[in-house]
Amino acid sequence: MNIFGLQKTTLVDYPGRVAATLFTGGCNFRCPYCQNKDLVLSPNNIEPYTHDEIFKFLNKRIGILEGVVVTGGEPTLHSDLPDFIKDIKSLGYLVKLDTNGSNPDMLINLCNDKLIDYVAMDIKQCPDKYNEVACMSNFDFEKISASVDFLLSDKIDYEFRTTVPAELFSDNDFREIGKWIAGARKYFLQPYRESEGVINPIFAAPKAETLETYVKILQESIETVETRG
Ligand code: SF4
C-alpha cells in the first residue's frame, strides 16, 4: 500500500478528532476541480513513504493523535487497503475513510470488519448528471447508489459532501440530490476554491448567497446541512 502524502496533524479532516492524514495514489474519477491532480494523474512520479516511515510516525503519535484519515486519490482502489487499515487499528487509532463511493463492496466489508469508524463520501452531482463531474470511463452509477444506500442504512457514522464550483450546479441539481439522499445524517457543501493546480482550472468559486440557497433546498430533506471550507 503506497502512501504518497502525510499530513502530520489536522484538526479539520476528522470531525471532532485530532488526526493525521495519509494520502493514497490513483483515482478512477477525473473530477475537473480535483485539488490532488498529481496524486490522481501521476502518483508514480511521487516518491512514496515506506511502510516503516508511516508506522514509525504513527507509533510515536500514540496518545497524541486520536485518529487517522485515509484519503486519496481513491483509497478503495487498493486491494491491500483492509490489511493496511488493520495495522493502523492495531495501534488503537480511529480511522476515517474518504471515498468517492465507487467500491461499495470494499466500503461495506471495511465497515462490517470494524476497520473504519467514520466515512466521508463525495456526492459529485445529482444521479442524472453524475458522470458529468466524475468523468469516469466505464461509469457505473449502481455502485455509487449502493454506497449511498449503505451509508443511509446508518451502520456507521458518516457524512456526505459536495465540492461546489459556480458553473457546475443549479438549484434543481440540489433538489434532485436532496430527494436522492433524503434522511442523510450530515451533508456538507464545500465551495470550490479557485486554483491553477486542479485538473481543469476553468471554474470559479460560488457566491455565498448561492450556497445559502442550496443549503435551504437541502434542509427540506436533510437535517444537518452546512457549508464548510
Ligand atoms: S474523486 Fe476525489 S481524488 Fe478522485 S478525481 Fe475526484 S476529487 Fe480527485
Side-chain angles (χ1 to χ4, degrees), residues 27-31 33-36 40 72-74 100 122 124 199:
C27 187
N28 48 356
F29 286 9
R30 291 290 181 273
C31 313
Y33 52 69
C34 180
Q35 305 273 354
N36 290 330
V40 168
E74 174 50 40
N100 63 22
D122 298 339
K124 298 297 180 189
I199 288 179

Side-chain angles (χ1 to χ4, degrees), residues 63-199:
I64 301 166
L65 298 173
E66 301 169 274
V68 174
V69 179
V70 182
T71 191
E74 174 50 40
T76 66
L77 291 181
H78 304 282
S79 58
D80 50 354
L81 179 68
D83 286 339
F84 180 71
I85 295 181
K86 255 180 224 162
D87 290 345
I88 298 173
K89 295 292 286 180
S90 73
L91 302 178
Y93 287 111
L94 297 168
V95 173
K96 169 179 177 257
L97 175 72
D98 291 349
T99 181
N100 63 22
S102 62
N103 190 345
D105 292 343
M106 185 178 284
L107 172 64
I108 292 167
N109 287 336
L110 287 169
C111 180
N112 287 344
D113 293 343
K114 303 206 179 321
L115 291 177
I116 50 177
D117 303 280
Y118 192 96
V119 177
M121 178 179 160
D122 298 339
I123 297 292
K124 298 297 180 189
Q125 241 297 6
C126 61
D128 285 349
K129 296 166 77 176
Y130 212 85
N131 208 35
E132 289 180 22
V133 176
C135 303
M136 182 190 183
S137 51
N138 304 318
F139 178 65
D140 181 357
F141 182 73
E142 290 306 312
K143 292 199 166 160
I144 306 297
S145 177
S147 292
V148 166
D149 289 348
F150 173 71
L151 293 177
L152 288 175
S153 73
D154 263 342
K155 301 219 168 37
I156 187 167
D157 199 7
Y158 70 92
E159 66 182 50
F160 293 122
R161 59 192 191 178
T162 294
T163 299
V164 187
E167 296 85 349
L168 287 181
F169 290 92
S170 66
D171 292 4
N172 199 49
D173 295 332
F174 281 103
R175 273 186 213 104
E176 294 302 313
I177 291 172
K179 282 186 220 161
W180 177 28
I181 64 168
R185 283 194 191 183
K186 290 169 275 184
Y187 186 25
F188 295 97
L189 300 188
Q190 306 174 157
Y192 171 71
R193 282 177 284 122
E194 286 172 45
S195 159
E196 285 303 307
V198 301
I199 288 179

Side-chain angles (χ1 to χ4, degrees), residues 11-23:
L11 301 177
V12 296
D13 289 343
Y14 195 143
R17 306 284 180 184
V18 183
T21 302
L22 306 180
F23 295 82

